[in-house]
Amino acid sequence: MYYGEKNMVFDQLRNLNKYIEHKQYNKIENFLKKVSMDMQEGYYEIDGKDIYARVMSYPTLLQCDCLIEAHNHYIDIQSSLIGVERIDIFDRRKLDIEKEYNEEQDVVFFKETEIPSVSVNNVAGYFSMIFPEEAHRPKISVNRQCEDVKKFVIKIHI
């Protein structure tokens, strides 16, 4: 599924090459070949600071306990290895800033909102691609059932 230029993408991981440049995908493909449920958590360099990945684990939370964030310089490609989490995606232009942009971490946080959002359930074998024009609220439990999630996030500098 493709939702237009610079709009969130949700698709099967095997189709990732349709959404990014061939040169970038070739570098990411090597990382994807190593992806497994038992990967160590941490930082994985793919192409210096231009493309890298993080593997992380955490328990999902109730929506009210999750933060809305956005990044100015990186596209996020998020995929679960274990478990399922809901991610809400917003038009960041319609949000009010809660915590100012942190250049070092490339993140800004937004206030809770009632504006409409799109939600996806990240599961193994699928990915969500989130652009800087969009804010996202990850870590949300599905059906209010908190569970442990292990996932990877690939960051592509733009």
Side-chain angles (χ1 to χ4, degrees), residues 1-14:
M1 246 178 268
Y2 183 61
Y3 295 98
E5 186 174 324
K6 294 191 178 184
N7 286 326
M8 186 272 304
V9 174
F10 181 73
D11 201 346
Q12 292 183 347
L13 206 46
R14 68 180 183 195

Side-chain angles (χ1 to χ4, degrees), residues 45-84:
E45 185 176 305
I46 296 172
D47 187 22
K49 293 193 179 213
D50 288 334
I51 305 174
Y52 65 91
R54 292 198 188 280
V55 175
M56 61 195 79
S57 298
Y58 50 78
T60 57
L61 305 168
L62 297 177
Q63 177 181 314
C64 62
D65 296 323
C66 299
L67 301 174
I68 302 170
E69 64 184 66
H71 311 290
N72 290 354
H73 301 292
Y74 286 88
I75 295 169
D76 271 9
I77 299 170
Q78 303 194 17
S79 183
S80 289
L81 296 169
I82 299 171
V84 58

Side-chain angles (χ1 to χ4, degrees), residues 13-48:
L13 206 46
R14 68 180 183 195
N15 295 327
L16 180 59
N17 63 325
K18 296 178 182 180
Y19 304 101
I20 58 178
E21 295 175 7
H22 181 71
K23 182 179 174 183
Q24 291 174 325
Y25 181 75
N26 286 341
K27 294 173 183 176
I28 292 170
E29 185 177 34
N30 291 329
F31 169 78
L32 293 175
K33 288 177 183 176
K34 299 173 191 169
V35 166
S36 70
M37 294 184 336
D38 59 346
M39 283 184 85
Q40 292 286 347
E41 291 183 37
Y43 176 90
Y44 291 82
E45 185 176 305
I46 296 172
D47 187 22

